[in-house]
Amino acid sequence: MRIFVEPIGIVRGRMCPQVVDIDGDCAVGELIESLNFPAKLNVIAVTDGRRVASNEKLQDGATVKLVSLALGG
Amino acid sequence: MKGSTGHFLYVDLSDGLTNSFCPPIDYYSRFIGGSGFAARLFVERGNFEADPLDPEALLTFSLGPFAGLNLSGASRFSAAACSPLTGHWADSSCGGNFAPELKFAGFDGILVSGKAKKPSVLVISDHTAKIETYPELWGLGVEKATATLKQKFGKASKTLVIGPAGENLVKFACIMNDGHSAFGRTGLGAVMGSKGLKAIVVRAKDRNFLAEDPMACRKLVSELNSRIKESVTLSVMRENGTAANLEGGVHLGDVPIRNFTSNFWEEMAEALTGSTLSEKYLKRRANCDFCSVACKRIVEITQGPFAIPKGPGPEYETIVSFGSLIGSMDLAATCKAGRICNDLGMDTISSGATIAWALEAFENGDIGVKECDGIQLKWGDINTIIDHILPSIAYKKGNLGSLLSDGSVAAAKKIGPSSQDYNVQAKGLEAPMHDPRGGGHGLALTYAVSHRGACHVSSPMLFMEMGACYYPEVGFDYELDPLSSENKAESAVLAMALGALENSACLCQFADREISIPEWVALFNSVAGFNWDIHDMIKAGRRIFYLQRLMNHRYGLRAEDDKISSRLLTPAVDGAPAGIVIEFEKMRTKFYNLMDLNPETGIPSRKTLVDYNLEIEADIILKG
Ligand code: SF4
């Protein structure tokens, strides 16, 4: 399965947009965990302005946008 | 009392007199400094009946115990008074460089009363103060007035200055420190203007800071400074400013768009975010005294309609207030609008929010070209805002200037009930640039119960909901879902106590996220010798929260005033929070129960007041 990962905001400072190849089933939360962000960044996935639940299964060819909850401003 | 000087400066502008006094020593451990201390001093010396712009009104500047300590995030201080914007007790917090200098000059704060016969400047240096008449400064913008003062009193002197908006009593006028940092919220610049006080200048020779336990203090400060410097999130903020994650915020539905009518605008996200500001306009980073985070921006725009010379750049709140909130995604324009507000001396949040209200009022036909001096108001028309609306407000020019200069709540009251539906505020204070529907449901609660109104710095709730802090030592070890109302009342109980501590200790809410609860206690003990445990510290925070509620009760606020605008409780139509309901009443009822607040009066029971050693204060305030 091939997933397009697109970092947004401060997550972009930690990784470039990339394609991730995964064997078998994978949930959104597992994908994020495998990318090893510092816990403090509190990274979640969104799509079309909607938050994706961490147990949601990824589909082949999906684009996952990653956003950090970390800063107030 | 170490960490503090033990002296406040009292200034009576009517008589032209200044003297210093020593507040009772127990105030320091009971009310700490900053916001809490200012409140307690008002109970002792203020007049609840005085109009906020009356000479008798008391304006207080109050430092925390850590001002002057070489700790990142410790150089903030509070200004407090009855707010001309909201009509009740309020305070505002400012970073920059004034607080340490005032402490080094020998004072923990300044109380200003009366009205000067001629425009004046208060000049403070090593344990002394004098009032100098300075009519030629009156009418000058903040930038020019600050430069003039620096020329006269030396480059190293530190300044607090009001602009034309403060002089003209615009109800959301701010007070600027060295032209860059601001006491932005609640209109305290108008209080200063009503007193004929254009500026305060301070200069200290010695730079000594005395801690109770210097060894322990030095060790702790060095550990904390290294951690703050290496922090992942704060290094991001150093790199790209407080708007570093604006783009992320858009995808979460936290960033308000067109007066909070939308929660998602993808193209705007990248256009306004902090990294774009760095790439396009950043010249260098700047910091409050002693802070290694350096989240402040110095920008320059060399070309185009929004060209501005090198100088202070916008932070997150300003970018959103003059960006997505008014329907624009022009980053250069937000820089220019922020610069103009600074120079006129107006709060960027209330300015942007009041203008956003006017844009919607025009769209709805509640105001027309007559009220707008022949101008058509349009979403995104930042040129009109910069060229016409901002100066009109500051100088109260024309119909539009006089309509908007008292803030959006007063304007909506004049225009009529239908326009109040899209007033986005709590207790008369325009909401900051975090929408609780996406930023976190707990924010809706803390906006509502905060003594100053809709304010995101009255508590660290936003950070707690975003998972940026855990405080297991005080039972906060669960992960919160920003888009749910679950566990928010319980979290708000802790958040309001921590917020009161933060605003009274005058610690920066960005930098202090790296400080654990036991370290906060150790900091208070090693600097001020409070000899606290965690329980004592949290109790002090809650005591301050209760004191400020009592004061607002005296100003006429009741439980029914702990609410926020219906717009913020109406489910979002788009973006991450679309369709999700904030269970506001459920959260509020639970918060009231947990805090022992009476569901009608909004204040705690006598038993709680006794438990928190507030009987004397309650008697003065309530029986007054
Ligand atoms: S983090 Fe920014 S606002 Fe806070 S003290 Fe440091 S420079 Fe000032």
Side-chain angles (χ1 to χ4, degrees), chain B residues 73 76 287-288 291 293-295 508 510:
Chain B
R76 299 188 73 82
N287 58 297
C288 303
C291 186
V293 179
C295 71
C508 172
F510 298 129

Side-chain angles (χ1 to χ4, degrees), chain A residues 8-10 12 14 38 40-42 44 46 48-51 65 67-73, chain B residues 232-233 236-237 242 244-245 247-248 251-252 266 434 462-463 466-467 481-482 514 575-576 578:
Chain A
I8 298 212
I10 61 174
R12 202 182 292 132
R14 295 256 141 197
K40 284 212 162 172
L41 281 189
N42 205 356
I44 61 156
V46 291
D48 299 328
R50 282 177 189 274
R51 191 171 174 173
K65 294 180 178 179
V67 173
S68 166
L69 295 174
L71 291 178
Chain B
V232 174
T233 46
V236 162
M237 210 176 258
T242 58
N245 201 30
E247 198 180 1
H251 286 266
L252 302 170
E266 194 161 15
H434 293 285
L462 180 67
F463 297 97
M466 296 281 179
D481 176 358
E514 294 297 325

Side-chain angles (χ1 to χ4, degrees), chain B residues 53 66 69-70 80 196 226 230 287 308 345 353 418 465 498 552 554:
Chain B
L53 301 179
F66 310 130
L69 184 64
N70 63 340
S226 322
E230 282 151 24
N287 58 297
I308 44 172
S418 63
E465 291 194 88
L498 292 177
N552 274 346
R554 176 67 187 269

Side-chain angles (χ1 to χ4, degrees), chain B residues 369-516:
Chain B
V369 284
K370 184 171 155 267
E371 287 84 358
C372 300
D373 311 312
I375 291 169
Q376 305 267 347
L377 302 189
K378 283 194 288 286
W379 291 111
D381 182 3
I382 187 75
N383 285 305
T384 299
I385 291 173
I386 287 175
D387 296 340
H388 180 81
I389 304 180
L390 290 175
S392 300
I393 293 173
Y395 293 98
K396 294 190 172 176
K397 268 195 320 215
N399 294 336
L400 193 58
S402 50
L403 176 68
L404 301 184
S405 62
D406 286 349
S408 66
V409 176
K413 230 182 223 165
K414 276 185 212 153
I415 295 304
S418 63
S419 72
Q420 288 171 339
D421 292 345
Y422 46 90
N423 239 179
V424 187
Q425 52 90 21
K427 295 194 180 92
L429 184 67
E430 287 85 6
M433 299 304 116
H434 293 285
D435 188 327
R437 292 170 294 182
H441 292 195
L443 262 189
L445 179 60
T446 55
Y447 283 178
V449 300
S450 155
H451 70 277
R452 72 184 83 153
C455 171
H456 62 302
V457 295
S458 66
S459 82
M461 194 69 203
L462 180 67
F463 297 97
M464 289 163 74
E465 291 194 88
M466 296 281 179
C469 44
Y470 293 94
Y471 299 119
E473 303 84 359
V474 283
F476 181 69
D477 54 2
Y478 34 77
E479 286 186 21
L480 296 174
D481 176 358
L483 301 186
S484 150
S485 302
E486 199 70 16
N487 287 327
K488 297 300 169 68
E490 296 84 340
S491 309
V493 169
L494 176 65
M496 294 315 291
L498 292 177
L501 287 166
E502 230 164 21
N503 287 308
S504 300
C506 302
L507 289 170
C508 172
Q509 70 165 202
F510 298 129
D512 75 20
R513 292 284 73 78
E514 294 297 325
I515 308 178
S516 72

